[in-house]
Amino acid sequence: AVISHRLWGVYGRTGPRSTRVAPRSADAAIRIRRAVGLRGERRLEQSESFRYDVDGDSQEQADAMRRILHAVFRKRDFRDGQAQAIRRLLNGEPAIVLLPTGGGKSLIYQFAGMLLPGMTVIIDPIISLMADQEASLHRMGIDRAGAVSSQLSAGDRARLLDRLAAGDLAYVFIAPERLQSEDFRVQLRSACSKMPVSLAVVDEAHCLSEWGHDFRPSYLHLPMNLQRYCSDQRTESGPTLVALTGTASFAVLEDIQAELEINDEDAVIRPTSFDRRELSFFVRQTSRRERPSALKETRAGLPRRLGVGTMDFFRPDRGDDTDCGLVFCPHVNGQLGVVDVAAQLGHSNYYAGEAPRSFSGDWDRHKQDLQRRFTRNRVQELVATKSFGMGIDKPNIRYTMHYGMPGSVEAFYQEAGRAGRNGKEGYALCTVLYSDDSWERGLAILDEPDHNAAMRQLEGVNRSRRGDVLTHLWFLLNSYKGRKEEKKSTLELWDRHLAGERTAELSYRGEEDRGVKEKCIYRLAMLGLVEDYTIDGRLREFVLTLRDAGSHDVTAQLRRYLGKYKFPDYVDRLLEPLSGADGDLVEGAVGILVDFIYDEVVAKRKEAIRTMAELCRGFKSSEDFRDGILAYLQDSEFSGQLNGWRGRSFEQVGLTEVREVLERPDTPDRLRQLIGTTRRVLEADPGNAALRYLSVCARARSDWESDASVLNETTALVARLPGGEPDPELVQMELLHDVERWRPILVRRVAAAMMPPGGGLGLARRLLSTEDYVAEVVYVAALKTIVHSIEGVVQRSREFYDLEAAGRA
């Protein structure tokens, strides 16, 4: 290390031995003296909570922050968005930070947590991420950090909790479920009495949206728990919240903002660009049956695609020159599971959150050993579920391969972004093996609003013919058992076990039963009926504290929850059925809440699947694919206006405004941005007819979107028009005019999509009754619809008379 001689007065002292050994040392020399013994009396001193006054325009403050960055974190300069986020946290202002994978999100809480008094609590979704973040702090010499996890032995966990209770930890890593343990809450309260929690971090915050509604309700209870158990008991002030994630669609970002109640738009910190030039992309379309052979062929071709030699490419133990790779699988077991895929690739280096059925031994030890060997380049390739790699900062990951389409653009970009961390342009290749089997059937299910009807359609497709869209839909629809079933299970839990009680203990049989019951408990908590609950894993039971909520309280709580997502007038319409309700108030409130979740959450997930599939189906080149991803992820000049359409009907937006937006792009790049932004906003409001209309026309106008893409969007629009639009046939007729302008060759097929067999009769009659060029073009389609309708009436009449005749006989 080179230290300026100006530090001599602080660190330089001349002792008798140094005088004897170096009597004529230079003025700029540094003398190092040995300390005798290990000093263990360090402690964190108690401090009142305080806030900095950090001004983004102050050069003096910026220089001071940069000096700390150099001295402690060994970084040359802040990356895009880091300094801005740190300033907000030091000022006690919450933040949601969106930085691309590898963009340095961890530094934000590490830096701010070091300067703020008290503890920093970090919520991580998986144990491997906690361990990695803890090790990262230790490598920097910050040893007052601990991860409380099930991988610790009972003794180690008890000692760590004792350190926590003593206020001896500066950084504490936990899973969201840990805050639902009564033992941990006691330790945390004890720690907060000595040392406040100044900063609460929700790391990989997209999990709050993607996992919270599905199988980890503890994520949705997280904001309440953080405020309740991490507050300074002397001042009753809660910690500053920061949510960190690599990317977020409008739908996911809306979830994060609503659940954490961070509504200030200035709190959302985005980079100037999400582009990762280190990554290139490739999508290989294959059938489900041929995907195993496609995997081997694609893997064998990696060296050629990356422009390197094949001799040593797959050989481990070459230090930083090892060409490491990650193969992502959607499941642990089965044909799409990590065990089978690793076997196809000729090794057994597989990693997942839970142990595969075929594994015998200590799974936690296996994972730790495998991760350590992969990090140290002893293992060249790892087959893993998405539970691996969050926070992993390994510079020589040369490729990722997805054995099946990820469920969203964000999921793909975050997982692919674990490659190419060395900053070299074009260093890594990110591949998707995409199965397009039964695409048309998948579209029909995506557009089917009835959950049970969608499930019946899906079950009618042979499993061997289910492509990636149907595979994702199967897991999505099975995560949600249906509106009727969820309403029934929630009300049964309330009526049989909780109604009229102040406290209750509720046992569960296994993990699946636990998940079902916890979803019901969370629904009741949203209505203010459950005040709090903990989970005792040893006894397998929930311990609940209940609230005697009157009708006004239930309605007010439901209004508060819905108001996080929707405008007041929309919420008023939803709550109208509750006015005047007495005995069935809870039943009515549960019904509204469950319907809202299905209309919002499930619909958004379907739209995310559709968007990712369209990008994979339309793959032409790496650059084209990159442009599609960035157009989706990044804000554009259209973002603010299109976001303003959310929650509004087609009539409220108006055809004039839709066409004004459509006319605005004057270059292919701006049109690509419009299509990407429309896709992104549609994920947040899938039923919005104005946005869907714009999406159809923008795609029709583009040179790169296929005819199938335009037709698919038309089908999606027609499926959503009848509900809430005063004149759906007029909207469809106007669409025909716009499609005729931008892509005339497609008008007949668009008309046919609007008038499928058994539907579109109103539009057909209207088209046949008008004297219009477009009407002439689509005359045959309209006539076919009329004829089909007449044939249907005739057929039903025959069936009726046959039955009547049989009855007389």
Side-chain angles (χ1 to χ4, degrees):
V2 178
I3 302 180
S4 167
H5 71 277
R6 287 192 293 272
L7 297 176
W8 176 251
V10 178
Y11 295 105
R13 291 291 183 270
T14 303
R17 182 172 177 81
S18 62
T19 304
R20 187 171 65 253
V21 173
R24 292 188 178 86
S25 58
D27 289 342
I30 296 174
R31 294 178 173 85
I32 301 173
R33 301 189 62 189
R34 177 172 61 91
V36 179
L38 178 65
R39 309 181 105 179
E41 67 272 14
R42 293 176 307 133
R43 58 179 291 121
L44 289 173
E45 297 295 337
Q46 184 171 339
S47 167
E48 295 295 328
S49 182
F50 65 86
R51 298 287 183 255
Y52 289 83
D53 182 15
V54 183
D55 181 1
D57 295 328
S58 170
Q59 188 60 46
E60 184 180 4
Q61 290 179 343
D63 291 342
M65 289 175 63
R66 200 170 286 109
R67 284 195 295 272
I68 296 172
L69 185 72
H70 296 166
V72 178
F73 298 97
R74 295 295 189 262
K75 305 290 185 184
R76 291 183 181 275
D77 206 348
F78 291 106
R79 294 184 184 178
D80 191 13
Q82 286 180 329
Q84 181 186 357
I86 292 168
R87 283 195 295 269
R88 282 191 65 88
L89 301 184
L90 294 179
N91 287 334
E93 299 169 337
I96 299 173
V97 184
L98 312 178
L99 293 180
T101 304
K105 294 182 292 294
S106 300
L107 176 77
I108 292 168
Y109 73 76
Q110 292 168 352
F111 192 109
M114 176 171 289
L115 296 185
L116 288 168
M119 291 184 292
T120 296
V121 172
I122 305 101
I123 310 298
D124 277 327
I126 53 176
I127 292 174
S128 62
L129 179 55
M130 295 183 210
D132 184 72
Q133 301 285 24
E134 181 188 12
S136 175
L137 286 168
H138 287 174
R139 285 193 297 271
M140 288 186 287
I142 302 171
D143 57 357
R144 290 185 180 272
V148 184
S149 75
S150 59
Q151 286 192 348
L152 295 174
S153 66
D156 287 342
R157 190 159 57 247
R159 283 187 288 272
L160 186 61
L161 289 173
D162 286 343
R163 290 184 66 195
L164 171 67
D168 197 33
L169 292 175
Y171 299 89
V172 182
F173 297 88
I174 58 173
E177 288 80 6
R178 188 66 56 181
L179 283 166
Q180 293 179 294
S181 162
E182 183 59 34
D183 291 344
F184 182 77
R185 287 178 175 182
V186 170
Q187 301 280 8
L188 190 56
R189 282 196 193 99
S190 176
C192 288
S193 67
K194 303 176 181 67
M195 192 70 59
V197 176
S198 298
L199 188 61
V201 184
V202 183
D203 200 7
E204 305 293 347
H206 58 278
C207 295
L208 186 148
S209 172
E210 293 176 7
W211 294 357
H213 293 288
D214 292 355
F215 59 94
R216 290 180 79 171
S218 54
Y219 256 111
L220 301 180
H221 215 58
L222 183 60
M224 185 187 302
N225 283 333
L226 286 173
Q227 292 296 333
R228 184 174 291 170
Y229 299 105
C230 295
S231 292
D232 188 332
Q233 298 173 11
R234 293 159 295 182
T235 63
E236 297 185 354
S237 61
T240 301
L241 288 177
V242 57
L244 307 173
T245 184
T247 56
S249 66
F250 286 129
V252 172
L253 179 58
E254 181 181 62
D255 259 1
I256 295 171
Q257 288 178 297
E259 296 299 335
L260 296 182
E261 298 187 12
I262 302 176
N263 299 313
D264 182 2
E265 281 302 316
D266 291 338
V268 181
I269 297 171
R270 299 176 175 89
T272 53
S273 173
F274 281 98
D275 196 6
R276 293 279 313 279
R277 301 305 302 185
E278 307 93 334
L279 309 179
S280 55
F281 304 97
F282 176 61
V283 177
R284 174 165 178 172
Q285 286 201 30
T286 179
S287 67
R288 178 167 176 158
R289 182 172 55 84
E290 295 175 347
R291 185 151 40 194
S293 59
L295 171 69
K296 296 175 185 176
E297 291 173 11
T298 305
R299 180 177 179 268
L302 284 171
R304 176 181 56 81
R305 286 188 172 275
L306 287 167
V308 297
T310 60
M311 183 175 297
D312 292 328
F313 187 82
F314 296 106
R315 187 167 65 83
D317 256 346
R318 294 186 290 123
D320 291 341
D321 292 329
T322 306
D323 297 300
C324 291
L326 289 170
V327 180
F328 287 106
C329 298
H331 312 309
V332 179
N333 301 294
Q335 294 178 350
L336 299 177
V338 294
V339 178
D340 282 13
V341 172
Q344 291 172 34
L345 295 174
H347 59 74
S348 59
N349 302 322
Y350 50 81
Y351 183 107
E354 62 184 48
R357 287 191 292 264
S358 60
F359 183 85
S360 59
D362 189 331
W363 180 244
D364 286 338
R365 180 172 294 179
H366 165 86
K367 289 196 298 182
Q368 290 173 11
D369 177 63
L370 189 58
Q371 181 169 335
R372 182 171 55 252
R373 289 165 58 210
F374 181 71
T375 302
R376 297 176 180 177
N377 301 309
R378 305 290 172 79
V379 168
Q380 179 268 330
E381 181 179 78
L382 203 59
V383 179
T385 60
K386 61 184 178 182
S387 64
F388 179 83
M390 289 184 182
I392 298 297
D393 193 9
K394 183 173 166 59
N396 61 336
I397 295 181
R398 201 73 199 266
Y399 64 92
T400 65
M401 296 179 67
H402 279 83
Y403 195 69
M405 180 193 81
S408 68
V409 176
E410 298 103 304
F412 168 73
Y413 207 52
Q414 292 202 25
E415 289 155 21
R418 287 159 200 169
R421 296 289 186 93
N422 60 5
K424 297 179 181 178
E425 185 169 341
Y427 178 78
L429 177 64
C430 305
T431 302
V432 180
L433 296 176
Y434 168 70
S435 168
D436 202 42
D437 295 359
S438 304
W439 164 250
E440 297 295 335
R441 185 67 67 90
L443 277 179
I445 298 172
L446 285 170
D447 292 330
E448 174 55 67
D450 186 306
H451 190 84
N452 292 328
M455 197 67 199
R456 287 193 297 272
Q457 289 185 46
L458 182 54
E459 288 172 346
V461 182
N462 188 290
R463 183 170 296 185
S464 64
R465 296 179 180 175
R466 292 178 189 170
D468 287 345
V469 169
L470 291 181
T471 299
H472 278 287
L473 283 171
W474 191 89
F475 279 93
L476 173 65
L477 297 179
N478 276 279
S479 296
Y480 294 85
K481 300 302 181 183
R483 301 170 192 247
K484 185 177 179 180
E485 289 78 2
E486 287 210 37
K487 292 174 187 177
K488 179 181 177 182
S489 58
T490 303
L491 289 170
E492 283 182 352
L493 185 75
W494 172 252
D495 291 334
R496 292 183 182 181
H497 303 286
L498 306 180
E501 302 291 335
R502 293 298 299 160
T503 61
E505 295 175 356
L506 190 66
S507 62
Y508 60 87
R509 293 184 298 275
E511 287 305 307
E512 184 176 353
D513 187 43
R514 167 181 164 165
V516 171
K517 284 188 168 67
E518 192 170 4
K519 267 190 180 180
C520 296
I521 292 169
Y522 179 71
R523 308 274 191 259
L524 296 170
M526 290 301 93
L527 299 177
L529 298 169
V530 172
E531 184 175 354
D532 194 12
Y533 70 97
T534 59
I535 302 174
D536 190 324
R538 292 165 298 183
L539 300 178
R540 291 192 171 188
E541 69 177 16
F542 298 95
V543 180
L544 298 93
T545 304
L546 300 148
R547 181 185 289 127
D548 184 18
S551 61
H552 175 73
D553 293 333
V554 170
T555 305
Q557 286 290 334
L558 183 55
R559 182 183 299 278
R560 179 178 177 275
Y561 176 75
L562 298 176
K564 295 178 181 180
Y565 293 90
K566 294 295 183 181
F567 295 119
D569 57 342
Y570 183 91
V571 175
D572 289 340
R573 290 198 301 272
L574 283 181
L575 296 182
E576 277 179 8
L578 293 184
S579 59
D582 293 319
D584 60 349
L585 176 76
V586 173
E587 181 179 353
V590 167
I592 291 171
L593 180 60
V594 171
D595 283 339
F596 177 78
I597 289 168
Y598 274 77
D599 291 338
E600 291 292 314
V601 177
V602 177
K604 291 173 182 177
R605 298 291 173 79
K606 285 183 176 182
E607 197 62 31
I609 294 169
R610 182 199 299 269
T611 299
M612 188 66 212
E614 287 181 340
L615 287 176
C616 288
R617 296 184 88 239
F619 179 84
K620 297 181 181 69
S621 67
S622 176
E623 284 305 306
D624 180 77
F625 194 72
R626 181 196 310 279
D627 289 343
I629 289 174
L630 294 178
Y632 169 86
L633 289 176
Q634 296 179 170
D635 282 346
S636 72
E637 63 178 282
F638 307 101
S639 299
Q641 186 173 5
L642 299 192
N643 260 314
W645 294 6
R646 287 164 55 182
R648 298 167 64 189
S649 68
F650 193 97
E651 187 178 39
Q652 290 172 321
V653 174
L655 187 60
T656 301
E657 186 172 351
V658 174
R659 284 176 172 158
E660 180 276 321
V661 173
L662 183 63
E663 293 282 355
R664 201 186 307 163
D666 55 2
T667 65
D669 185 56
R670 292 182 73 199
L671 182 57
R672 195 182 294 274
Q673 289 176 12
L674 174 60
I675 294 171
T677 303
T678 307
R679 276 178 165 145
R680 190 177 178 196
V681 182
L682 270 169
E683 280 193 29
D685 192 2
N688 191 296
L691 285 167
R692 193 71 66 176
Y693 187 107
L694 177 64
S695 181
V696 174
C697 295
R699 295 177 190 214
R701 185 182 171 187
S702 73
D703 294 332
W704 57 88
E705 291 284 345
S706 66
D707 290 351
S709 170
V710 179
L711 291 168
N712 294 339
E713 280 297 273
T714 301
T715 304
L717 171 65
V718 173
R720 289 156 176 80
L721 266 179
E725 299 301 336
D727 195 346
E729 286 83 16
L730 178 60
V731 174
Q732 293 175 70
M733 289 181 67
E734 293 293 342
L735 182 65
L736 285 171
H737 281 286
D738 285 328
V739 171
E740 192 273 334
R741 176 186 176 190
W742 299 114
R743 201 174 293 202
I745 196 172
L746 208 57
V747 175
R748 287 187 179 86
R749 295 174 66 188
V750 167
M754 290 178 175
M755 297 177 287
L761 187 59
L763 177 62
R765 287 172 176 163
R766 198 152 183 170
L767 286 168
L768 291 176
S769 66
T770 185
E771 295 179 2
D772 187 287
Y773 171 71
V774 170
E776 292 176 15
V777 172
V778 299
Y779 181 86
V780 174
L783 198 58
K784 282 183 177 178
T785 299
I786 297 288
V787 171
H788 188 277
S789 176
I790 294 171
E791 288 175 344
V793 172
V794 171
Q795 179 63 31
R796 287 193 294 273
S797 298
R798 286 174 176 168
E799 291 172 356
F800 173 78
Y801 286 120
D802 287 346
L803 285 171
E804 190 178 65
R808 286 198 302 271

